[in-house]
């Protein structure tokens, strides 16, 4: 029942699966269940262990202690398995953290200083294979930044670098706006693809933030209060399944901001030949709270579930690289304009969770509920 409530939390009103118990077990032996059953498998292990401890105390039966010990031992054993494999030499990344204050981020008079800061930081790391800027690092629509993007594309190609950045885009034919990530510079290994405005080699955010990025039932809510007319609250969402973003011939499954919290949605775009998971975000509005660190922990869990390295570029932190087992490779301090230089190997293959998602765990829950109901009927 607890797991069903958790799944409800992750789906009702578009979902907010932020505080599932499983995230507390990132650095314990229970983390071995992640590539098999996902974060909710860890939650189940926590619940079963806690229930066994309660029964051991309540019934004065130490035999119940065998259950949490067995769960830890099995999780530790599973943690030794390698579900995916390294495939190729390390890729040299430069993850750029601009640290633009939220009060200035969308100020039209601050567009040039923002772009100047990102360009200055990137210029010092031209030898990187791939340079990554965070969510909406370019505070313009792609439509209004074509000259700038063409010049960046040419510069990256001259330096034999791939380039990925967050930017927003308006489809002028339909009038729809998208929160996106695009790839420029060296796109494929044979250098046959080129950046094209409005098409190809891009990802549009699928799971939008209610109120912040779209207004549910807007035909009724928008006329009611100015609160529902927030800036940038009229985005359209991309497709649930989208091709991997390409850079230097490597394939990136992409998630923007809190999309990284929706593991069943992310795994749909992670294939056996996906090399990395890329997530870009702007957590500046969290301030000095623990939000960015929770967000980082969620990204670590995705690496464990999917067996793929995760690259995370943010405006003000936490910018980091995560290994295929969820380990922190290297990270930047918060609230500093800096660049994380890190080399990470691509990984190929799929974990059981990547293949089947939450279905095995849901089947287990359904059988447990049926057994409980049958047991109640027998006792009755």
């Amino acid at each position: 029942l607890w797991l069903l409530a958790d799944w409800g939390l992750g789906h009702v009103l578009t979902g907010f699966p932020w505080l599932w118990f499983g995230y507390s077990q990132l650095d314990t032996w229970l983390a071995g269940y992640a590539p098999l059953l996902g974060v909710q498998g860890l939650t189940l292990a926590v619940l079963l262990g806690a229930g066994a401890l309660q029964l051991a105390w309540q019934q004065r039966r130490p035999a119940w202690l065998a259950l949490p010990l067995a769960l830890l031992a099995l999780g530790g054993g599973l943690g030794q398995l390698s579900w995916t494999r390294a495939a190729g030499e390390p890729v040299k990344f430069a993850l750029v953290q601009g640290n633009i204050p939220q009060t200035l981020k969308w100020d039209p008079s601050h567009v040039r200083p923002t772009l100047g800061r990102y360009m200055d930081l990137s210029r010092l790391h031209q030898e990187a294979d791939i340079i990554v800027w965070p969510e909406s690092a370019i505070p313009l629509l792609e439509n209004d930044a074509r000259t700038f993007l063409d010049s960046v594309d040419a510069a990256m190609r001259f330096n034999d670098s791939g380039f990925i950045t967050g930017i927003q885009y308006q489809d002028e034919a339909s009038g729809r706006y998208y929160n996106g990530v695009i790839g420029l510079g060296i796109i494929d290994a044979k250098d046959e693809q080129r950046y094209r405005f409005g098409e190809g080699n891009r990802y549009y955010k699928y799971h939008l933030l209610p109120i912040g990025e779209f207004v549910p039932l807007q035909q009724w809510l928008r006329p009611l209060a100015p609160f529902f007319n927030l800036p940038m609250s009229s985005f359209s969402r991309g497709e649930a399944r989208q091709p991997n973003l390409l850079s230097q011939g490597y394939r990136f499954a992409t998630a923007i901001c809190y999309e990284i919290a929706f593991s069943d949605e992310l795994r749909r775009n992670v294939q056996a030949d996906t090399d990395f998971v890329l997530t870009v975000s702007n957590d500046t509005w969290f301030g000095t709270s623990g939000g960015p660190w929770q967000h980082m922990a969620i990204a670590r869990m995705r690496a464990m579930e999917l067996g793929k390295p995760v690259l995370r570029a943010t405006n003000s932190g936490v910018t980091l690289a995560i290994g295929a087992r969820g380990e922190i490779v290297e990270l930047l301090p918060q609230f500093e304009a800096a660049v994380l230089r890190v080399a990470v190997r691509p990984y190929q293959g799929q974990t059981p969770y990547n293949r089947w998602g939450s279905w095995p765990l849901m089947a287990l829950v359904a059988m447990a509920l049926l057994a409980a109901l049958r047991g109640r009927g027998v006792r009755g």
Side-chain angles (χ1 to χ4, degrees):
L1 289 174
W2 192 297
L3 288 181
L4 289 175
D6 267 4
W7 274 315
L9 184 67
H11 290 87
V12 174
L13 300 177
T14 77
F16 193 71
W18 196 264
L19 294 175
W20 287 344
F21 276 178
Y23 289 116
S24 68
Q25 303 302 306
L26 279 165
D27 297 305
T28 74
W29 285 358
L30 294 182
Y33 295 105
L36 194 63
L37 297 171
V39 61
Q40 290 294 55
L42 279 69
T43 296
L44 178 60
V46 170
L47 295 172
L48 291 174
L53 292 174
Q54 168 66 13
L55 287 170
W57 172 262
Q58 187 179 51
Q59 299 178 1
R60 300 295 190 269
R61 293 177 60 186
W64 279 112
L65 299 178
L67 179 56
L69 292 175
L71 288 168
L72 284 169
L74 179 57
L78 290 170
Q80 302 305 309
L81 300 178
S82 297
W83 302 98
T84 57
R85 65 191 183 282
E89 296 300 313
V91 181
K92 295 181 291 184
F93 289 94
L95 308 179
V96 185
Q97 180 174 287
N99 196 36
I100 306 298
Q102 191 66 22
T103 53
L104 298 176
K105 183 170 177 60
W106 298 106
D107 184 342
S109 66
H110 205 261
V111 171
R112 285 185 178 273
T114 295
L115 296 179
R117 177 179 295 186
Y118 274 105
M119 289 300 294
D120 289 343
L121 290 168
S122 302
R123 199 171 289 117
L124 299 173
H125 302 276
Q126 295 177 0
E127 73 279 11
D129 294 320
I130 301 174
I131 297 172
V132 184
W133 291 5
E135 179 187 13
S136 59
I138 299 175
L140 294 168
L141 289 174
E142 184 182 357
N143 313 59
D144 301 324
R146 295 175 70 169
T147 301
F148 174 76
L149 291 172
D150 286 339
S151 65
V152 171
D153 181 50
M156 293 296 170
R157 292 175 55 76
F158 178 80
N159 292 310
D160 199 30
S161 296
F163 177 68
I164 300 173
T165 183
I167 194 170
Q168 295 164 4
Y169 166 73
Q170 181 188 19
D171 183 340
E172 295 173 353
S174 64
R176 294 181 176 180
Y177 292 86
Y178 296 93
N179 188 359
V181 177
I182 59 175
L184 297 81
I186 304 300
I187 293 174
D188 61 12
K190 296 182 179 179
D191 194 22
E192 294 177 344
Q193 294 193 44
R194 299 287 191 274
Y195 163 69
R196 300 190 306 276
F197 165 71
E199 58 180 288
N201 203 37
R202 58 190 52 232
Y203 170 81
Y204 292 141
K205 189 175 184 182
Y206 168 73
H207 202 118
L208 301 176
L209 181 68
I211 307 303
E213 290 180 314
F214 81 103
V215 176
L217 307 175
Q218 61 176 324
Q219 64 268 36
W220 294 293
L221 292 181
R222 282 197 187 276
L224 293 180
F227 173 77
F228 294 110
N229 287 316
L230 291 170
M232 296 181 294
S233 60
S234 299
F235 283 108
S236 298
R237 67 181 188 178
E239 298 295 326
R241 295 180 184 272
Q242 300 183 47
N244 285 174
L245 198 71
L246 287 176
S247 187
Q248 290 279 18
Y250 297 101
R251 297 166 58 87
F252 294 81
T254 308
I256 298 176
C257 195
Y258 92 136
E259 280 189 312
I260 197 70
F262 295 88
S263 49
D264 267 324
E265 293 179 4
L266 175 61
R267 74 172 187 83
R268 291 192 296 234
N269 290 324
V270 177
Q271 313 302 327
D273 58 355
T274 299
D275 298 293
F276 301 97
V277 172
L278 171 70
T279 177
V280 297
S281 188
N282 175 30
D283 287 351
T284 311
W285 57 275
F286 274 120
T288 57
S289 73
W293 297 97
Q294 288 180 308
H295 212 172
M296 181 267 285
I298 289 169
R300 287 184 61 197
M301 184 62 73
R302 297 295 87 82
M304 292 178 178
E305 291 173 340
L306 300 169
K308 306 281 185 177
V310 174
L311 289 308
R312 186 168 193 265
T314 72
N315 175 42
S316 61
V318 180
T319 297
L320 80 162
I322 305 167
R325 291 180 175 270
E327 73 279 12
I328 295 175
V329 177
E330 197 169 344
L331 58 78
L332 288 178
Q334 281 185 288
F335 311 116
E336 291 185 14
V339 178
L340 178 62
R341 287 300 308 272
V342 63
V344 183
R345 297 184 70 181
Y347 269 68
Q348 301 271 296
Q350 290 182 295
T351 63
Y353 178 77
N354 191 183
R355 292 177 182 274
W356 300 305
S358 296
W359 287 109
L361 196 58
M362 293 175 70
L364 180 62
V365 167
M367 288 188 292
L369 285 173
L370 288 172
L373 290 171
R374 183 176 181 183
R376 286 173 60 89
V378 170
R379 287 196 299 272

